[in-house]
Amino acid sequence: MSEELIGMVLSEAGERMDEAVAAARREFSTVRTGRASSALLERVQVEAYGVKMSMRELVTFSIPEASQLLLTPHDPANIAAVERAIQQTQLGLTPSSDGRVIRLSFPPLTEERRRELAKLVGSMAEDSRHRVRGLRRQARKDLDEIEKDGGVSADSVARAAEQLDGITRAHEKLIDEALADKEEELLEV
């Protein structure tokens, strides 16, 4: 029974670490690279119909060219609210509207801004690694409790701890790979 508990602890830790890696990738996608991407705006909150709604609930995104994002509101009455929300994001984007659609042009990034964004992404990656290590610490506590409750040997817990360390390293490596991809994308001219 306790061996099954160890398996459950390792499985749950792996799943939660998978979620942390996915969250890191989503977070990286919100950093502007000079290419048009709807990920920058999907979570932006817009005041519409008297409530706050996410941008993706109000508009359809399309990318007619690499440096341009086209937003088509489902209800044209929300154009002003969407424009206001974009301006408040401080992404450095200026919306232009023709009354039916909103165009966002992504200007090329300066070398200095690229380096700043690379540092920002690096700090996001470090936060994600901390999350993974925190999940490892929690799983380790769970393993120690299983050992304390009895029914499982210290050797079994030690083997499980080694497996947990391997799972942790694998997830940290995934974060590092996602970071390297994003940095390459940011520094690409």
Side-chain angles (χ1 to χ4, degrees):
M1 179 65 186
S2 295
E3 292 293 330
E4 290 174 12
L5 285 175
I6 288 174
M8 286 174 39
V9 167
L10 293 176
S11 175
E12 182 181 337
E15 288 171 12
R16 293 180 71 193
M17 288 180 190
D18 287 342
E19 291 169 11
V21 170
R25 287 190 175 125
R26 278 192 306 275
E27 203 172 358
F28 292 167
S29 73
T30 65
V31 176
R32 188 165 82 97
T33 61
R35 288 189 205 143
S37 171
S38 63
L40 292 172
L41 298 171
E42 286 179 349
R43 292 193 206 145
V44 171
Q45 295 293 304
V46 180
E47 183 75 33
Y49 308 115
V51 295
K52 291 227 181 241
M53 301 176 75
S54 72
M55 184 77 71
R56 69 176 155 215
E57 292 176 302
L58 295 171
V59 302
T60 301
F61 296 98
S62 60
I63 302 173
E65 56 187 69
S67 63
Q68 191 175 80
L69 183 63
L70 201 62
L71 288 75
T72 308
H74 304 303
D75 180 358
N78 291 325
I79 285 184
V82 170
E83 286 180 318
R84 212 173 14 259
I86 292 168
Q87 290 168 341
Q88 292 172 353
T89 62
Q90 300 177 355
L91 288 171
L93 299 173
T94 306
S96 66
S97 168
D98 66 3
R100 290 178 296 137
V101 296
I102 299 169
R103 290 184 194 285
L104 295 174
S105 293
F106 289 72
L109 297 172
T110 64
E111 185 67 25
E112 180 182 340
R113 184 68 177 143
R114 289 175 189 276
R115 299 230 179 267
E116 288 173 13
L117 291 174
K119 285 181 187 175
L120 173 68
V121 171
S123 96
M124 290 175 172
E126 189 56 38
D127 290 345
S128 297
R129 284 189 216 99
H130 283 293
R131 267 185 246 130
V132 167
R133 291 179 198 132
L135 293 168
R136 180 204 170 279
R137 270 191 303 279
Q138 183 58 49
R140 184 60 208 219
K141 284 179 187 175
D142 293 344
L143 290 173
D144 290 342
E145 285 180 27
I146 291 171
E147 181 181 14
K148 207 181 300 178
D149 290 344
V152 69
S153 68
D155 288 344
S156 293
V157 171
R159 277 192 300 278
E162 286 176 25
Q163 287 178 314
L164 181 61
D165 289 343
I167 292 168
T168 303
R169 282 190 298 276
H171 284 84
E172 286 178 336
K173 184 178 178 191
L174 291 172
I175 291 169
D176 291 341
E177 289 169 359
L179 170 64
D181 290 346
K182 188 63 175 185
E183 284 178 335
E184 181 181 323
E185 184 182 325
L186 279 170
L187 298 175
E188 174 184 304
V189 179

